[in-house]
Amino acid sequence: MSIMMSVLVAWLFAVGTYLLLQRALTRIVLGLGLLSHGAVLLLITVGGRAGRPPLVGKGDDGAGIAAPLPQAFALTAIVIG
């Protein structure tokens, strides 16, 4: 699943960058939209698998804990965008 998300993020960044380099204003706006969606998906992908507790779980190893910071960054990027 994360490989597919990584490929999707790379594709969004590539197409967004290509559209940003065009001269038409609509393509530039679409390119910015694709880049922002790619950034949000990148932050969500870095955050880890869904369903894990965001804070302290049972045990001190930290293996079953999802990182809350990328999820907060993604939510902030959506609100600002």
Side-chain angles (χ1 to χ4, degrees):
M1 180 70 169
S2 76
I3 297 292
M4 191 162 60
M5 287 290 284
S6 300
V7 169
L8 178 65
V9 167
W11 184 83
L12 283 172
F13 276 125
V15 173
T17 303
Y18 174 76
L19 288 175
L20 268 176
L21 296 176
Q22 302 296 315
R23 292 181 57 96
L25 184 61
T26 15
R27 291 185 182 215
I28 292 173
V29 170
L30 288 173
L32 283 173
L34 287 177
L35 279 175
S36 67
H37 285 353
V40 169
L41 282 178
L42 178 68
L43 287 172
I44 290 173
T45 303
V46 168
R49 296 183 57 92
R52 291 186 182 166
L55 297 175
V56 179
K58 295 180 182 176
D60 296 326
D61 60 352
I65 297 173
L69 194 59
Q71 296 169 5
F73 282 153
L75 182 61
T76 304
I78 290 170
V79 169
I80 290 174

